[in-house]
mmCIF file of all heavy atoms in Angstrom:
data_model
loop_
_atom_site.group_PDB
_atom_site.id
_atom_site.type_symbol
_atom_site.label_atom_id
_atom_site.label_comp_id
_atom_site.label_asym_id
_atom_site.label_seq_id
_atom_site.Cartn_x
_atom_site.Cartn_y
_atom_site.Cartn_z
ATOM 1 N N TRP A 28 -98.961 224.955 162.927
ATOM 2 C CA TRP A 28 -100.070 225.400 163.771
ATOM 3 C C TRP A 28 -99.974 224.657 165.103
ATOM 4 O O TRP A 28 -99.801 223.423 165.125
ATOM 5 C CB TRP A 28 -101.423 225.113 163.122
ATOM 6 C CG TRP A 28 -101.811 226.064 162.046
ATOM 7 C CD1 TRP A 28 -101.686 225.889 160.696
ATOM 8 C CD2 TRP A 28 -102.422 227.343 162.210
ATOM 9 N NE1 TRP A 28 -102.163 226.979 160.022
ATOM 10 C CE2 TRP A 28 -102.631 227.891 160.925
ATOM 11 C CE3 TRP A 28 -102.818 228.098 163.324
ATOM 12 C CZ2 TRP A 28 -103.214 229.141 160.720
ATOM 13 C CZ3 TRP A 28 -103.395 229.336 163.125
ATOM 14 C CH2 TRP A 28 -103.588 229.850 161.831
ATOM 15 N N PHE A 29 -100.117 225.413 166.181
ATOM 16 C CA PHE A 29 -100.079 224.869 167.517
ATOM 17 C C PHE A 29 -101.283 225.405 168.278
ATOM 18 O O PHE A 29 -101.883 226.409 167.877
ATOM 19 C CB PHE A 29 -98.780 225.281 168.220
ATOM 20 C CG PHE A 29 -97.536 224.803 167.519
ATOM 21 C CD1 PHE A 29 -97.012 225.498 166.440
ATOM 22 C CD2 PHE A 29 -96.911 223.638 167.923
ATOM 23 C CE1 PHE A 29 -95.878 225.048 165.771
ATOM 24 C CE2 PHE A 29 -95.775 223.177 167.271
ATOM 25 C CZ PHE A 29 -95.259 223.882 166.193
ATOM 26 N N ARG A 30 -101.646 224.739 169.363
ATOM 27 C CA ARG A 30 -102.775 225.233 170.146
ATOM 28 C C ARG A 30 -102.524 225.013 171.627
ATOM 29 O O ARG A 30 -101.778 224.109 172.021
ATOM 30 C CB ARG A 30 -104.072 224.546 169.716
ATOM 31 C CG ARG A 30 -104.140 223.049 170.035
ATOM 32 C CD ARG A 30 -105.409 222.452 169.432
ATOM 33 N NE ARG A 30 -105.520 221.026 169.753
ATOM 34 C CZ ARG A 30 -106.490 220.238 169.276
ATOM 35 N NH1 ARG A 30 -107.416 220.732 168.454
ATOM 36 N NH2 ARG A 30 -106.522 218.960 169.632
ATOM 37 N N GLN A 31 -103.162 225.863 172.421
ATOM 38 C CA GLN A 31 -103.044 225.741 173.866
ATOM 39 C C GLN A 31 -104.404 225.928 174.507
ATOM 40 O O GLN A 31 -105.015 226.985 174.381
ATOM 41 C CB GLN A 31 -102.050 226.765 174.423
ATOM 42 C CG GLN A 31 -101.760 226.569 175.902
ATOM 43 C CD GLN A 31 -100.556 227.361 176.358
ATOM 44 O OE1 GLN A 31 -100.159 228.345 175.746
ATOM 45 N NE2 GLN A 31 -99.950 226.928 177.458
ATOM 46 N N ALA A 32 -104.869 224.886 175.166
ATOM 47 C CA ALA A 32 -106.141 224.923 175.886
ATOM 48 C C ALA A 32 -105.886 225.414 177.310
ATOM 49 O O ALA A 32 -104.770 225.288 177.824
ATOM 50 C CB ALA A 32 -106.768 223.540 175.895
ATOM 51 N N PRO A 33 -106.906 225.952 177.954
ATOM 52 C CA PRO A 33 -106.735 226.445 179.326
ATOM 53 C C PRO A 33 -106.200 225.367 180.251
ATOM 54 O O PRO A 33 -106.705 224.241 180.276
ATOM 55 C CB PRO A 33 -108.152 226.862 179.720
ATOM 56 C CG PRO A 33 -108.826 227.174 178.426
ATOM 57 C CD PRO A 33 -108.258 226.198 177.436
ATOM 58 N N GLY A 34 -105.144 225.699 180.982
ATOM 59 C CA GLY A 34 -104.577 224.763 181.936
ATOM 60 C C GLY A 34 -103.742 223.657 181.341
ATOM 61 O O GLY A 34 -103.309 222.748 182.066
ATOM 62 N N LYS A 35 -103.514 223.709 180.034
ATOM 63 C CA LYS A 35 -102.737 222.656 179.381
ATOM 64 C C LYS A 35 -101.518 223.239 178.679
ATOM 65 O O LYS A 35 -101.450 224.429 178.398
ATOM 66 C CB LYS A 35 -103.605 221.894 178.383
ATOM 67 C CG LYS A 35 -104.754 221.129 179.014
ATOM 68 C CD LYS A 35 -105.471 220.278 177.983
ATOM 69 C CE LYS A 35 -106.576 219.450 178.623
ATOM 70 N NZ LYS A 35 -107.270 218.591 177.628
ATOM 71 N N GLU A 36 -100.568 222.373 178.359
ATOM 72 C CA GLU A 36 -99.394 222.805 177.602
ATOM 73 C C GLU A 36 -99.765 222.977 176.129
ATOM 74 O O GLU A 36 -100.711 222.354 175.631
ATOM 75 C CB GLU A 36 -98.279 221.767 177.745
ATOM 76 C CG GLU A 36 -97.704 221.681 179.148
ATOM 77 C CD GLU A 36 -96.492 220.779 179.209
ATOM 78 O OE1 GLU A 36 -96.164 220.141 178.185
ATOM 79 O OE2 GLU A 36 -95.868 220.701 180.277
ATOM 80 N N ARG A 37 -98.974 223.804 175.473
ATOM 81 C CA ARG A 37 -99.199 224.000 174.045
ATOM 82 C C ARG A 37 -98.853 222.702 173.311
ATOM 83 O O ARG A 37 -97.861 222.038 173.635
ATOM 84 C CB ARG A 37 -98.355 225.158 173.533
ATOM 85 C CG ARG A 37 -98.696 225.583 172.122
ATOM 86 C CD ARG A 37 -98.242 227.011 171.850
ATOM 87 N NE ARG A 37 -96.835 227.227 172.078
ATOM 88 C CZ ARG A 37 -96.280 228.430 172.078
ATOM 89 N NH1 ARG A 37 -97.017 229.511 171.891
ATOM 90 N NH2 ARG A 37 -94.989 228.547 172.276
ATOM 91 N N GLU A 38 -99.670 222.360 172.306
ATOM 92 C CA GLU A 38 -99.449 221.129 171.551
ATOM 93 C C GLU A 38 -99.471 221.423 170.059
ATOM 94 O O GLU A 38 -100.066 222.389 169.599
ATOM 95 C CB GLU A 38 -100.515 220.092 171.883
ATOM 96 C CG GLU A 38 -101.926 220.498 171.507
ATOM 97 C CD GLU A 38 -102.942 219.376 171.759
ATOM 98 O OE1 GLU A 38 -102.555 218.292 172.224
ATOM 99 O OE2 GLU A 38 -104.127 219.598 171.468
ATOM 100 N N ALA A 39 -98.805 220.562 169.322
ATOM 101 C CA ALA A 39 -98.749 220.718 167.871
ATOM 102 C C ALA A 39 -100.040 220.222 167.237
ATOM 103 O O ALA A 39 -100.655 219.253 167.706
ATOM 104 C CB ALA A 39 -97.564 219.961 167.312
ATOM 105 N N VAL A 40 -100.442 220.875 166.170
ATOM 106 C CA VAL A 40 -101.648 220.504 165.439
ATOM 107 C C VAL A 40 -101.304 220.011 164.040
ATOM 108 O O VAL A 40 -101.695 218.918 163.633
ATOM 109 C CB VAL A 40 -102.608 221.697 165.339
ATOM 110 C CG1 VAL A 40 -103.817 221.352 164.482
ATOM 111 C CG2 VAL A 40 -103.049 222.144 166.735
ATOM 112 N N SER A 41 -100.550 220.833 163.293
ATOM 113 C CA SER A 41 -100.256 220.496 161.910
ATOM 114 C C SER A 41 -99.106 221.358 161.416
ATOM 115 O O SER A 41 -98.775 222.382 162.026
ATOM 116 C CB SER A 41 -101.503 220.751 161.046
ATOM 117 O OG SER A 41 -101.249 220.444 159.688
ATOM 118 N N CYS A 42 -98.487 220.933 160.315
ATOM 119 C CA CYS A 42 -97.450 221.773 159.697
ATOM 120 C C CYS A 42 -97.404 221.499 158.202
ATOM 121 O O CYS A 42 -97.905 220.462 157.731
ATOM 122 C CB CYS A 42 -96.082 221.552 160.333
ATOM 123 S SG CYS A 42 -95.338 219.929 160.040
ATOM 124 N N ILE A 43 -96.816 222.450 157.480
ATOM 125 C CA ILE A 43 -96.653 222.327 156.034
ATOM 126 C C ILE A 43 -95.268 222.842 155.672
ATOM 127 O O ILE A 43 -94.816 223.881 156.176
ATOM 128 C CB ILE A 43 -97.767 223.088 155.283
ATOM 129 C CG1 ILE A 43 -97.681 222.838 153.777
ATOM 130 C CG2 ILE A 43 -97.739 224.582 155.599
ATOM 131 C CD1 ILE A 43 -98.937 223.291 153.018
ATOM 132 N N SER A 44 -94.573 222.099 154.819
ATOM 133 C CA SER A 44 -93.211 222.480 154.455
ATOM 134 C C SER A 44 -93.222 223.595 153.420
ATOM 135 O O SER A 44 -94.235 223.866 152.772
ATOM 136 C CB SER A 44 -92.457 221.266 153.900
ATOM 137 O OG SER A 44 -92.987 220.887 152.651
ATOM 138 N N SER A 45 -92.057 224.223 153.248
ATOM 139 C CA SER A 45 -91.941 225.318 152.292
ATOM 140 C C SER A 45 -91.697 224.826 150.878
ATOM 141 O O SER A 45 -92.031 225.505 149.918
ATOM 142 C CB SER A 45 -90.789 226.240 152.697
ATOM 143 O OG SER A 45 -89.568 225.510 152.731
ATOM 144 N N GLY A 46 -91.122 223.655 150.721
ATOM 145 C CA GLY A 46 -90.748 223.174 149.400
ATOM 146 C C GLY A 46 -91.868 222.480 148.671
ATOM 147 O O GLY A 46 -92.617 223.082 147.903
ATOM 148 N N ASP A 47 -92.009 221.191 148.947
ATOM 149 C CA ASP A 47 -93.012 220.410 148.218
ATOM 150 C C ASP A 47 -94.392 220.448 148.864
ATOM 151 O O ASP A 47 -95.308 219.793 148.390
ATOM 152 C CB ASP A 47 -92.548 218.954 148.068
ATOM 153 C CG ASP A 47 -92.380 218.248 149.405
ATOM 154 O OD1 ASP A 47 -92.664 218.868 150.450
ATOM 155 O OD2 ASP A 47 -91.959 217.081 149.392
ATOM 156 N N GLY A 48 -94.521 221.205 149.940
ATOM 157 C CA GLY A 48 -95.833 221.339 150.567
ATOM 158 C C GLY A 48 -96.258 220.108 151.342
ATOM 159 O O GLY A 48 -97.460 219.905 151.574
ATOM 160 N N SER A 49 -95.290 219.295 151.778
ATOM 161 C CA SER A 49 -95.633 218.127 152.584
ATOM 162 C C SER A 49 -96.321 218.570 153.876
ATOM 163 O O SER A 49 -95.978 219.611 154.441
ATOM 164 C CB SER A 49 -94.373 217.335 152.927
ATOM 165 O OG SER A 49 -93.755 216.855 151.765
ATOM 166 N N THR A 50 -97.261 217.766 154.320
ATOM 167 C CA THR A 50 -98.034 218.121 155.514
ATOM 168 C C THR A 50 -97.986 217.011 156.555
ATOM 169 O O THR A 50 -97.808 215.828 156.216
ATOM 170 C CB THR A 50 -99.494 218.401 155.147
ATOM 171 O OG1 THR A 50 -100.052 217.225 154.532
ATOM 172 C CG2 THR A 50 -99.606 219.569 154.172
ATOM 173 N N TYR A 51 -98.154 217.410 157.797
ATOM 174 C CA TYR A 51 -98.227 216.455 158.908
ATOM 175 C C TYR A 51 -99.319 216.915 159.859
ATOM 176 O O TYR A 51 -99.582 218.114 159.989
ATOM 177 C CB TYR A 51 -96.888 216.369 159.631
ATOM 178 C CG TYR A 51 -95.791 215.793 158.772
ATOM 179 C CD1 TYR A 51 -94.944 216.632 158.053
ATOM 180 C CD2 TYR A 51 -95.617 214.418 158.665
ATOM 181 C CE1 TYR A 51 -93.951 216.110 157.248
ATOM 182 C CE2 TYR A 51 -94.617 213.894 157.862
ATOM 183 C CZ TYR A 51 -93.790 214.746 157.158
ATOM 184 O OH TYR A 51 -92.812 214.217 156.352
ATOM 185 N N TYR A 52 -99.937 215.932 160.512
ATOM 186 C CA TYR A 52 -101.031 216.237 161.425
ATOM 187 C C TYR A 52 -100.873 215.451 162.718
ATOM 188 O O TYR A 52 -100.423 214.300 162.705
ATOM 189 C CB TYR A 52 -102.377 215.877 160.795
ATOM 190 C CG TYR A 52 -102.684 216.644 159.536
ATOM 191 C CD1 TYR A 52 -102.322 216.144 158.285
ATOM 192 C CD2 TYR A 52 -103.333 217.875 159.596
ATOM 193 C CE1 TYR A 52 -102.593 216.857 157.130
ATOM 194 C CE2 TYR A 52 -103.614 218.590 158.443
ATOM 195 C CZ TYR A 52 -103.240 218.072 157.210
ATOM 196 O OH TYR A 52 -103.510 218.776 156.072
ATOM 197 N N ALA A 53 -101.294 216.077 163.805
ATOM 198 C CA ALA A 53 -101.393 215.345 165.056
ATOM 199 C C ALA A 53 -102.523 214.325 164.932
ATOM 200 O O ALA A 53 -103.504 214.558 164.216
ATOM 201 C CB ALA A 53 -101.683 216.311 166.206
ATOM 202 N N ASP A 54 -102.393 213.209 165.613
ATOM 203 C CA ASP A 54 -103.413 212.163 165.517
ATOM 204 C C ASP A 54 -104.795 212.676 165.918
ATOM 205 O O ASP A 54 -105.814 212.229 165.378
ATOM 206 C CB ASP A 54 -103.029 210.985 166.413
ATOM 207 C CG ASP A 54 -101.852 210.190 165.856
ATOM 208 O OD1 ASP A 54 -101.536 210.344 164.658
ATOM 209 O OD2 ASP A 54 -101.244 209.426 166.630
ATOM 210 N N SER A 55 -104.831 213.619 166.836
ATOM 211 C CA SER A 55 -106.104 214.111 167.348
ATOM 212 C C SER A 55 -106.911 214.893 166.312
ATOM 213 O O SER A 55 -108.124 215.073 166.477
ATOM 214 C CB SER A 55 -105.866 214.991 168.577
ATOM 215 O OG SER A 55 -105.021 216.083 168.256
ATOM 216 N N VAL A 56 -106.251 215.372 165.255
ATOM 217 C CA VAL A 56 -106.955 216.175 164.253
ATOM 218 C C VAL A 56 -106.927 215.540 162.865
ATOM 219 O O VAL A 56 -107.559 216.055 161.932
ATOM 220 C CB VAL A 56 -106.379 217.606 164.165
ATOM 221 C CG1 VAL A 56 -106.382 218.262 165.535
ATOM 222 C CG2 VAL A 56 -104.985 217.614 163.547
#
């Protein structure tokens, strides 16, 4: 998942792998 606010670059939010379902999050969320 990525997001883009008005006037800003797109940034990463979170992701989940296909195998074991490992997840990662941006510090902001």
Side-chain angles (χ1 to χ4, degrees):
W28 282 99
F29 300 82
R30 67 186 182 185
Q31 187 167 22
K35 296 186 177 181
E36 292 187 355
R37 190 158 56 190
E38 63 175 0
V40 175
S41 179
C42 68
I43 186 167
S44 69
S45 59
D47 62 2
S49 298
T50 59
Y51 294 94
Y52 298 91
D54 288 344
S55 58
V56 306

